[in-house]
Amino acid sequence: MTRIERIAMSSTDSDSRVALITGAGSGIGRAMAQAFAAIGARVVAADIDLGNAEKAAAEIGDAAIAVRVDISEQASVNDLVRRTLGIFGRVDVLCNNAGVLDTMALPADTPIEVWDRVLRINLTGTFLVTHAVVPHMLAKGSGVIVNTASEAGIRGGAAGIAYTASKHGVVGITKNVAWAYANEGIRCNAILPGPTLTGVAAEAANFDPAGVARLQPIISLNQSIAQPEQMAAVAVFLASDAASNVNGAIVPVDGGWSAG
């Protein structure tokens, strides 16, 4: 019996939920995969870097599978959902976590290609995965979506224009999905991480100095650097029955940054 066959058989015999997590190969997504597995969920660790996704799944064991996905491409997203349903038969929790930073450049200095890439991944990607998963949640009358937005989703001075626009858009997607399906058993909430120790921070070498200088007054208000596990814990709560009446919430997980 192959590992996939063992997973499929065990999922048939279990009431545990299935959590599909994008960007699960590193950072917050990897912590989410581990956190959901820790409470008994079966996990689909999806990432554009299959090697990282496989490492994340291997850390969990037979309760997880790894799938490569490019969330900016509809065909890749549809394949991800088909494979998930083929193995587990359902998706109970969707964590739209995959995303990229911009260069922190000021609006007039932001290259069009940076704008296109960041919006395509962060915003359109979140829509594409949601668009592919929601029909299956509707068919079974339940489901939870947790989107990873950002402090930049509620501020204008925490990132460059592309990232800021994309995360404001994720907040909008969250509220729209929550309202649209509130009577259909589907909840949708978002977490807003502040600075967190993730692999995305490696892109800091590409930051635009003039943009960073202008953003510094807001960035300097931050009081802490979070661990990915702190974000994952809130995602698990929002997906749990304890949050059964929480829908459309935009939850800062920033150590008080947004309170300043």
Side-chain angles (χ1 to χ4, degrees):
M1 182 182 295
T2 68
R3 178 170 177 269
I4 295 298
E5 288 170 336
R6 290 199 306 274
I7 294 171
M9 181 174 292
S10 62
S11 67
T12 301
D13 297 335
S14 174
D15 291 331
S16 63
R17 292 180 299 171
V18 176
L20 169 55
I21 302 165
T22 66
S26 62
I28 294 172
R30 196 168 191 161
M32 286 179 174
Q34 293 169 343
F36 277 100
I39 62 169
R42 280 155 170 77
V43 173
V44 179
D47 200 282
I48 195 167
D49 186 323
L50 181 59
N52 282 346
E54 289 174 336
K55 290 176 184 177
E59 290 172 354
I60 294 169
D62 280 350
I65 62 167
V67 180
R68 184 191 181 278
V69 65
D70 180 348
I71 65 167
S72 72
E73 297 294 336
Q74 185 176 11
S76 182
V77 169
N78 289 343
D79 181 64
L80 165 66
V81 176
R82 278 195 300 268
R83 292 184 63 183
T84 300
L85 294 172
I87 294 170
F88 294 117
R90 66 187 193 271
V91 178
D92 301 292
V93 178
L94 167 62
C95 291
N96 281 312
N97 172 74
V100 295
L101 289 173
D102 60 17
T103 62
M104 300 286 188
L106 299 173
D109 301 325
T110 298
I112 300 301
E113 58 269 23
V114 170
W115 171 271
D116 288 343
R117 175 175 181 263
V118 173
L119 269 291
R120 183 71 191 176
I121 294 171
N122 292 1
L123 185 57
T124 301
T126 297
F127 165 74
L128 288 174
V129 182
T130 302
H131 184 266
V133 168
V134 163
H136 303 286
M137 291 182 170
L138 287 171
K140 66 186 184 64
S142 66
V144 181
I145 300 171
V146 180
N147 294 326
T148 302
S150 168
E151 183 75 15
I154 57 173
R155 290 185 182 273
I161 190 170
Y163 189 80
T164 299
S166 72
K167 293 303 185 178
H168 271 70
V170 171
V171 168
I173 286 176
T174 301
K175 292 182 177 182
N176 183 264
V177 171
W179 176 258
Y181 300 115
N183 297 326
E184 309 293 337
I186 297 174
R187 296 188 295 110
C188 184
N189 298 291
I191 62 171
L192 276 60
T196 307
L197 288 174
T198 71
V200 176
E203 299 184 33
N206 300 317
F207 286 170
D208 180 90
V212 171
R214 180 66 187 108
L215 297 169
Q216 194 59 41
I218 294 297
I219 294 174
S220 63
L221 293 176
N222 175 59
Q223 302 179 59
S224 64
I225 305 296
Q227 297 294 324
E229 292 76 16
Q230 292 174 287
M231 306 300 133
V234 180
V236 168
F237 165 71
L238 290 172
S240 73
D241 291 342
S244 61
N245 204 40
V246 180
N247 192 23
I250 309 302
V251 184
V253 192
D254 59 13
W257 188 17
S258 58

